[in-house]
Amino acid sequence: MATFAKPENALKRAVELVNVGQHLDALMALHSLITSRRYRNWQKPLEKIMFKYVELCVDLRKGRFAKDGLIQYRIVCQQVNVNSLEEVLKHFMHLATERAESARNQTQALDEALDVEDLEADKRPEDLMLSYVSGEKGKDRSDRELVTPWFKFLWETYRTVLEILRNNSKLEALYAMTAHRAFQFCKQYKRTTEFRRLCEIIRNHLSNLNKYRDQRDRPDLSAPESLQLYLDTRFEQLKMATELEMWQEAFRSVEDIHGLMCMVKKTPKPSLMVVYYAKLTEIFWISGSHLYHAYAWLKLFSLQKSFNKNLSQKDLQMIASSVVLAALSVAPFDHTSGVSHVELENEKERNLRMANLINFNLEPKLDNRELLSRSALLSEVASKGVMSCVIPEVKDLFHLLEHEFLPLVLAARVQPLLSRISKLGGKLATASSVPEVQLSHYLPLLERLTTLRLLQQVSQVYQTVTIESISRMIPFFDFSVVEKISVDAVKHSFITMKVDHMKGAVLFGNLDLESDSLRDHLAFIAEGLNKAWAMMHPPVKKSSKIAEVLPGLGDMVEKEHLKLLARKTLIEKRKEEQERQLLEMEREEELKRLKLQKITEEAEKKRLASEVEQRKNQRILREIAERETEEVQAFLQEAEKRGKKKGKKIPEGEKVTKQTLVEMALSEQLRERQEMEKKLQKLAKQMDHLERAKREEAAPLIEAAYQQRLVEEKIIHEREQQLEVELSRQRHDGDLQEKNRLSRMVENKRIFEQEVIRRRQAEFDRLRQEKEEGMREILQARKQERGMKRKMIFFLRSEEERSRKQREEEDARKREEAERRKKEEAERKAKLDEIAEKQRQREREAEEKERLRREQLLGRPTEPYSRPSESFSGSRPDGAVAPPVTAQAASSASAGGKYVPRHKRGDPAVGVGQAPPPSEPERWGGGRRDDHPATDKWRSDDHRSFGGGSRDERRPVGGSSGSRSTWSSARNPPPRGF
């Protein structure tokens, strides 16, 4: 960044760069000067620099640079010379407007060039590709590329100026002028998107102004000039919104104006309020809110009649006729009948909001649901004398539709009046805010009202009318349109009618006779009379033959009917359950499909994102390398120039890196800065000496002038003192004469004082008595209110105590139920344990019987219990044969009376004594004899377990089933020796 000793040097340098065609370098030089902290005090050359700076920004279309520079310049000159900032901003807007107009004049395709939705949006890639491959002519493309950027820059200029001036109390006029010019820009080129954004910007500026009230240069809205500027801006915004037909933005502008009036609590000038209500009439008419439209016309009529002294009688008649026709155009029935409580509350809130916007003072009551209604509007029209100002045709129409009862000729009387009214209207010469009145706008609504009135009056006279008669009586519409109108009226309980197309007739009903309350009342009377007649003349009961034959027939029919209903309900539930299951399956399949699709899409997105990121990183690395190469070359060129200028050259053949060049540049800048500081210190010392010499020379001159001033002021003081004494003497003489003249009125003064005191004392006594009576009434009311509160508190506490007792009883019942359930569960478990123990005892006895039976059959003792693992194990690991259990050991084990666990009954070590080892023949012979029983045992076990049989036959020889033996083997492993 280049540094300059004086601002003029930067301006000269910028001019030199512009002359050689380096506009961007010139802009950067001025930008570095403006944003530097060294030049924060305003100087006259800074204004010239800013003029040149904004010219370069406009030439290069650098809106961001312009905004930064103007913000810095605002900081510099805000407290010193704010007029300089105003001149710079005006010059900036003038240049931008001039360049946009010149671009517009150069091309003939402005409509196509501005055919973009948003001036702030960047050009999309698809638009660029389309412009390259499209077959448009070169001239059209060049026109669009020439005109659109300049209008974008002009729009950005307006936004920049508004942002800079948003909190500046000294440049409010320029802020308002910029906003007006931006509105004109949007209007001239039909820029709806920019207009909406501009309104939002101004709205945010005002909200921030109210939010941050401690700012130093904040505009004061209580000042008349500031308030008038803000109101003018809002009214201009409202006018442009209506001209652009942006009705939603127009309504928001109306709300902004109303909020501004409520904020400052001041009413604008009548001329502005007339514009306010004139625009409100247009907004409400477009939105279809005919009631609010009529109220706005009524306020407009009151303002024009009260404040427009130049209003002619003809224009007043046209405005009054518009008020009456707008009031008649409102539907004669209530649209809120039959709606929910929430919708009623919303409608009430909406009416309050609209009443505030229209500035129509209403007192909301609890039992009043309609604050703005047709009946209230017509009463206001009558009370304010609007009917005395309308034209005769409108007055006759109002009388026919609201007061006359002509069911057969109403439409015939109204039609010629409507035809004459449709020809009236036009421009108003003496009411500038209401440029034109068109009474023909109200004809469709008036024809609809005439149709409703005719149907209402016919329903009061006739009960049945043919469709042809209705069509002849209503010449405005076909009968299909009349039918649609009547449907809406019947929906809101305005009339009661039915259309029978088969008979070609319309049936009317009397609302009074067919009302719900009267119909129920007659039904109650008939029911009471029937009961009285039955009591006076009881009917003779006759025995029924069917009842004698089938006494329970009625109960049977009722039961069958209930069974059929239950069956039908069950079938419906099954159908619903089946449908629900089908839907659930379909939903699950759809979720699976969507999940798979989502996973596929995410994988594709990740792949594309990774490819984009990879290309982006490669591009960034390539750009960094190119930028470093360019910087090194630029450093070398600068070093060569500096070497030629200062006599310091870079050695040839030496390899110079970027870091080396940066260090050399930093050392050079440090040396230049040190030299500049030395020069400044020397200059400051010279200026100090010069100032000291000037003060030494001026000291005696200042002392002489001071002594001369003292002598002159002493002479002036003596002369003024003599004059004051003379004037005091003259005033004293005049006061004495006045006292003598007024002394004869002292007695009258005393009598008057006594009379005044007597009257005031009587008034005081009366007011005190009224105050005491009022206080007594208030005390009585408060006493009653306290009594009611105490009763209410006692009632609430009683209810709370009752609910608490109920909760405690419920909790105690639940605890007792839980304890009872626990007790029952414990008893049930004890019973189950006892049953299990008995079952185990029976099994043990069965095993013992089976063992004894086998001993008797085989003629030798057998093992009391044999596990499958022991039966199939041939030998021990060391090759020794397991000794069989002898009969003596078995008998001793069984006869001893000691309980032996099942898993230890085959162990020879368990028993009273050790059995002697068997002899060799016994061992081998016994082994061969025991093979078959063991094999038969397991075969019979397998056979019986699959073939069936009794419970005793299904058990194996060991006394237990195969599953139980396997489970015992799994839980109790064999001894360590096996």
Side-chain angles (χ1 to χ4, degrees):
M1 180 180 68
T3 56
F4 301 97
K6 296 180 180 180
E8 295 86 347
N9 297 340
L11 182 60
K12 292 178 182 178
R13 177 62 178 168
V15 172
E16 292 174 357
L17 291 173
V18 169
N19 292 333
V20 297
Q22 298 181 2
H23 293 78
L24 184 59
D25 294 339
L27 178 63
M28 296 301 297
L30 295 180
H31 182 73
S32 62
L33 176 73
I34 293 168
T35 56
S36 176
R37 294 181 178 271
R38 296 179 60 184
Y39 304 103
R40 288 299 174 90
N41 296 325
W42 186 84
Q43 305 175 25
K44 186 64 177 176
L46 285 179
E47 184 175 353
K48 297 180 180 178
I49 291 173
M50 284 304 300
F51 280 126
K52 189 65 179 178
Y53 181 77
V54 296
E55 289 176 4
L56 291 173
C57 289
V58 172
D59 291 339
L60 298 174
R61 292 201 295 268
K62 298 290 184 181
R64 296 290 180 85
F65 282 93
K67 185 176 182 179
D68 294 342
L70 290 171
I71 290 174
Q72 295 295 328
Y73 191 64
R74 180 187 64 181
I75 296 172
V76 171
C77 64
Q78 175 68 37
Q79 305 299 329
V80 181
N81 188 5
V82 74
N83 294 327
S84 176
L85 177 62
E86 182 178 2
E87 294 298 327
V88 171
L89 291 174
K90 287 182 178 178
H91 184 63
F92 181 43
M93 287 191 292
H94 173 71
L95 290 175
T97 307
E98 186 178 9
R99 294 301 296 269
E101 292 295 332
S102 63
R104 174 191 174 187
N105 295 331
Q106 289 177 9
T107 181
Q108 300 296 328
L110 182 61
D111 295 337
E112 292 81 2
L114 285 182
D115 190 14
V116 292
E117 294 181 359
D118 191 357
L119 290 177
E120 295 185 10
D122 296 330
K123 189 172 290 187
R124 297 175 297 179
E126 52 267 25
D127 295 338
L128 290 173
M129 294 177 64
L130 186 62
S131 64
Y132 288 131
V133 301
S134 62
E136 62 178 351
K137 296 180 179 179
K139 184 178 182 303
D140 296 338
R141 184 181 300 171
S142 62
D143 292 342
R144 185 176 293 108
E145 293 177 355
L146 177 64
V147 176
T148 305
W150 280 113
F151 278 92
K152 285 186 178 180
F153 182 76
L154 180 59
W155 167 246
E156 189 177 357
T157 300
Y158 289 139
R159 288 197 58 177
T160 300
V161 175
L162 290 174
E163 185 68 23
I164 291 172
L165 300 177
R166 60 188 177 93
N167 291 330
N168 201 323
S169 59
K170 299 177 182 178
L171 296 176
E172 292 176 342
L174 182 59
Y175 180 86
M177 184 193 73
T178 306
H180 286 220
R181 292 178 65 175
F183 289 144
Q184 291 294 334
F185 169 80
C186 296
K187 174 190 172 183
Q188 184 177 359
Y189 302 110
K190 308 295 183 185
R191 305 306 306 170
T192 56
T193 305
E194 284 73 24
F195 180 78
R196 189 179 295 107
R197 191 174 288 120
L198 178 62
C199 296
E200 192 65 29
I201 289 171
I202 296 175
R203 196 173 293 116
N204 291 334
H205 288 176
L206 183 60
S207 63
N208 292 333
L209 190 66
N210 296 324
K211 187 184 298 183
Y212 308 107
R213 296 178 177 273
D214 54 348
Q215 294 181 353
R216 181 173 56 182
D217 298 321
R218 174 182 174 274
D220 186 12
L221 293 179
S222 60
E225 296 82 5
S226 301
L227 178 61
Q228 188 62 35
L229 287 173
Y230 273 88
L231 285 175
D232 291 342
T233 303
R234 294 304 185 280
F235 277 101
E236 185 68 20
Q237 174 182 334
L238 177 60
K239 291 178 183 177
M240 294 303 165
T242 53
E243 291 179 4
L244 291 173
E245 296 183 356
M246 300 176 65
W247 303 110
Q248 186 176 3
E249 198 62 42
F251 184 74
R252 296 186 68 186
S253 302
V254 169
E255 288 183 328
D256 293 342
I257 295 171
H258 181 262
L260 192 60
M261 289 190 294
C262 295
M263 188 188 306
V264 299
K265 297 180 180 179
K266 292 182 181 178
T267 304
K269 297 178 181 179
S271 58
L272 293 179
M273 293 306 296
V274 168
V275 176
Y276 176 82
Y277 287 115
K279 299 303 179 183
L280 264 182
T281 57
E282 296 182 23
I283 295 170
F284 287 141
W285 178 257
I286 293 297
S287 64
S289 303
H290 302 128
L291 180 61
Y292 307 136
H293 170 75
Y295 270 105
W297 264 115
L298 182 59
K299 293 294 292 186
L300 183 60
F301 170 78
S302 301
L303 283 173
Q304 289 285 359
K305 187 177 179 181
S306 302
F307 297 101
N308 193 353
K309 304 301 181 183
N310 300 325
L311 189 65
S312 63
Q313 185 65 25
K314 181 180 178 182
D315 294 343
L316 181 63
Q317 285 183 349
M318 296 302 297
I319 296 175
S321 302
S322 299
V323 174
V324 175
L325 292 179
L328 290 175
S329 300
V330 182
F333 44 77
D334 184 14
H335 288 277
T336 60
S337 61
V339 298
S340 63
H341 177 71
V342 177
E343 293 177 352
L344 284 176
E345 291 298 326
N346 293 336
E347 184 67 20
K348 184 177 179 180
E349 184 179 356
R350 183 168 178 263
N351 285 339
L352 277 174
R353 182 184 176 192
M354 294 304 158
N356 291 330
L357 286 180
I358 302 172
N359 198 15
F360 200 83
N361 296 324
L362 290 173
E363 293 294 334
K365 300 179 181 179
L366 295 177
D367 57 346
N368 187 13
R369 294 182 177 178
E370 292 186 357
L371 301 176
L372 300 176
S373 61
R374 188 176 187 272
S375 58
L377 175 61
L378 292 178
S379 62
E380 286 289 332
V381 169
S383 63
K384 292 190 176 182
V386 180
M387 296 303 300
S388 61
C389 302
V390 300
I391 58 178
E393 290 83 357
V394 175
K395 186 180 294 185
D396 296 340
L397 180 65
F398 179 81
H399 187 68
L400 282 172
L401 294 176
E402 296 297 326
H403 301 292
E404 291 289 341
F405 186 79
L406 302 169
L408 299 178
V409 295
L410 180 63
R413 295 280 188 88
V414 169
Q415 189 173 13
L417 293 176
L418 293 179
S419 61
R420 289 200 296 271
I421 289 172
S422 63
K423 298 176 182 178
L424 299 176
K427 295 184 178 180
L428 303 182
T430 58
S432 59
S433 59
V434 189
E436 189 174 2
V437 173
Q438 292 292 340
L439 301 182
S440 59
H441 292 166
Y442 302 103
L443 288 183
L445 296 175
L446 293 174
E447 292 174 353
R448 182 185 179 90
L449 176 65
T450 305
T451 304
L452 289 172
R453 289 296 186 196
L454 189 144
L455 292 174
Q456 183 187 25
Q457 293 177 8
V458 169
S459 67
Q460 296 175 9
V461 178
Y462 301 100
Q463 290 185 351
T464 305
V465 181
T466 60
I467 294 177
E468 296 179 358
S469 301
I470 294 291
S471 300
R472 287 196 301 271
M473 285 188 289
I474 303 174
F476 309 122
F477 307 112
D478 295 335
F479 185 74
S480 59
V481 180
V482 175
E483 191 173 1
K484 291 180 181 178
I485 296 172
S486 63
V487 166
D488 200 14
V490 170
K491 176 184 177 182
H492 296 95
S493 302
F494 183 69
I495 57 175
T496 302
M497 60 176 290
K498 299 178 181 178
V499 180
D500 192 347
H501 288 281
M502 295 181 65
K503 297 180 181 179
V506 179
L507 307 177
F508 294 100
N510 195 344
L511 288 173
D512 296 333
L513 294 178
E514 292 189 358
S515 61
D516 295 336
S517 60
L518 188 57
R519 183 170 62 248
D520 295 341
H521 183 65
L522 292 175
F524 292 151
I525 292 174
E527 186 178 354
L529 290 174
N530 288 332
K531 289 182 180 180
W533 178 262
M535 292 174 65
M536 294 171 63
H537 305 283
V540 179
K541 296 183 179 180
K542 297 181 180 180
S543 59
S544 177
K545 294 182 179 180
I546 300 176
E548 293 177 357
V549 177
L550 299 174
L553 181 61
D555 296 337
M556 292 174 62
V557 171
E558 184 67 23
K559 290 180 181 179
E560 290 296 328
H561 179 64
L562 293 176
K563 288 181 180 179
L564 290 174
L565 290 178
R567 185 171 179 274
K568 182 179 179 181
T569 305
L570 182 61
I571 292 172
E572 292 294 333
K573 287 184 178 179
R574 289 178 179 176
K575 287 182 178 179
E576 291 177 358
E577 182 66 22
Q578 187 177 4
E579 291 176 356
R580 188 186 64 78
Q581 291 177 0
L582 290 174
L583 290 175
E584 189 69 24
M585 292 174 60
E586 292 178 358
R587 190 180 298 110
E588 290 178 357
E589 293 177 357
E590 183 68 19
L591 288 176
K592 290 180 181 179
R593 188 183 61 80
L594 292 176
K595 186 176 181 180
L596 182 61
Q597 183 179 359
K598 185 177 180 181
I599 292 172
T600 307
E601 291 177 355
E602 289 179 355
E604 184 67 19
K605 287 182 180 179
K606 288 181 180 179
R607 186 183 64 80
L608 294 175
S610 62
E611 291 180 358
V612 171
E613 188 67 22
Q614 186 176 2
R615 289 196 296 269
K616 183 179 178 181
N617 293 334
Q618 293 176 358
R619 180 179 57 80
I620 290 172
L621 293 175
R622 187 169 59 254
E623 290 179 356
I624 290 173
E626 293 176 356
R627 192 180 298 112
E628 288 181 355
T629 305
E630 293 176 357
E631 289 177 357
V632 169
Q633 293 178 358
F635 272 122
L636 289 175
Q637 294 177 0
E638 187 68 23
E640 291 178 0
K641 291 180 182 178
R642 192 179 294 109
K644 293 178 182 178
K645 184 176 180 181
K646 301 293 183 178
K648 182 179 179 181
K649 296 182 179 179
I650 298 174
E652 295 182 359
E654 184 178 353
K655 186 177 181 181
V656 181
T657 62
K658 179 182 177 181
Q659 185 66 24
T660 306
L661 293 175
V662 170
E663 291 177 357
M664 293 174 61
L666 290 175
S667 62
E668 186 68 21
Q669 290 179 3
L670 180 62
R671 186 182 60 78
E672 292 177 356
R673 191 180 298 111
Q674 290 175 355
E675 291 179 358
M676 183 62 66
E677 289 178 356
K678 290 179 181 178
K679 290 181 182 178
L680 290 175
Q681 289 177 359
K682 184 177 180 181
L683 181 62
K685 189 175 182 181
Q686 291 178 357
M687 294 296 294
D688 188 13
H689 291 170
L690 179 62
E691 185 66 23
R692 189 182 303 168
K694 288 196 295 183
R695 291 186 180 181
E696 288 177 356
E697 292 295 329
L701 300 176
I702 292 173
E703 183 65 25
Y706 173 71
Q707 296 296 331
Q708 184 178 358
R709 181 69 179 273
L710 286 178
V711 173
E712 293 176 355
E713 289 183 352
K714 184 177 181 181
I715 296 171
I716 293 171
H717 175 69
E718 292 176 353
R719 185 168 63 251
E720 290 181 353
Q721 189 174 7
Q722 292 177 0
L723 181 61
E724 182 66 26
V725 169
E726 190 67 27
L727 291 174
S728 298
R729 188 179 292 109
Q730 293 177 3
R731 285 195 297 270
H732 179 69
D733 295 339
D735 292 341
L736 289 176
Q737 293 177 4
E738 187 68 18
K739 179 181 179 182
N740 294 330
R741 188 176 67 82
L742 297 175
S743 60
R744 57 191 178 86
M745 292 188 293
V746 173
E747 185 66 21
N748 295 331
K749 170 181 169 295
R750 184 181 59 78
I751 294 170
F752 179 73
E753 287 179 352
Q754 292 178 356
E755 182 66 22
V756 170
I757 291 171
R758 184 183 59 79
R759 288 200 306 271
R760 291 185 178 178
Q761 184 65 31
E763 182 68 19
F764 173 73
D765 294 340
R766 183 180 63 80
L767 293 175
R768 184 176 61 184
Q769 184 177 2
E770 293 178 356
K771 185 68 174 179
E772 290 176 354
E773 292 178 357
M775 290 297 293
R776 284 196 294 272
E777 293 177 357
I778 292 172
L779 290 175
Q780 185 66 22
R782 289 181 178 175
K783 184 176 180 181
Q784 294 177 358
E785 185 179 354
R786 287 196 298 274
M788 292 297 292
K789 284 184 178 178
R790 284 196 294 271
K791 291 180 181 179
M792 182 60 69
I793 291 170
F794 175 74
F795 175 74
L796 292 176
R797 287 179 179 174
S798 302
E799 288 294 323
E800 186 177 355
E801 183 67 21
R802 185 179 60 81
S803 62
R804 184 180 63 78
K805 289 181 179 180
Q806 288 181 354
R807 287 195 301 272
E808 290 178 355
E809 292 175 358
E810 184 67 20
D811 294 340
R813 187 183 62 78
K814 289 181 179 179
R815 286 196 297 272
E816 292 176 358
E817 183 69 20
E819 291 176 358
R820 185 180 61 79
R821 289 178 180 175
K822 288 182 180 178
K823 187 175 181 181
E824 291 178 355
E825 184 67 22
E827 292 177 355
R828 189 178 64 82
K829 286 183 67 177
K831 289 181 180 180
L832 292 176
D833 293 339
E834 184 179 356
I835 293 170
E837 183 64 27
K838 289 181 180 179
Q839 181 68 24
R840 286 194 295 270
Q841 184 66 25
R842 285 195 297 268
E843 289 178 357
R844 286 195 297 270
E845 293 175 356
E847 290 174 1
E848 185 66 22
K849 289 179 180 180
E850 181 67 20
R851 187 180 63 78
L852 294 175
R853 187 180 64 81
R854 290 184 62 198
E855 287 180 355
Q856 293 176 1
L857 290 175
L858 297 175
R860 63 180 181 85
T862 58
E863 294 181 359
Y865 178 73
S866 176
R867 288 195 300 264
S869 59
E870 295 175 357
S871 302
F872 286 101
S873 59
S875 62
R876 296 177 179 230
D878 56 356
V881 179
V885 181
T886 62
Q888 182 183 358
S891 62
S892 63
S894 61
K898 184 179 179 181
Y899 174 72
V900 180
R902 184 181 301 171
H903 65 280
K904 292 185 178 181
R905 290 174 186 173
D907 193 352
V910 179
V912 179
Q914 295 282 343
S919 60
E920 193 72 15
E922 275 183 55
R923 191 180 353 170
W924 293 108
R928 286 192 297 270
R929 284 194 300 268
D930 290 341
D931 287 342
H932 297 287
T935 308
D936 295 340
K937 177 181 65 175
W938 290 109
R939 285 179 180 175
S940 62
D941 181 46
D942 294 339
H943 175 70
R944 287 166 186 164
S945 62
F946 291 102
S950 63
R951 187 162 66 102
D952 294 334
E953 290 176 354
R954 284 196 303 268
R955 296 185 179 183
V957 178
S960 178
S961 64
S963 61
R964 181 178 293 274
S965 300
T966 307
W967 178 79
S968 299
S969 302
R971 290 192 58 185
N972 302 313
R976 191 179 301 272
F978 280 83

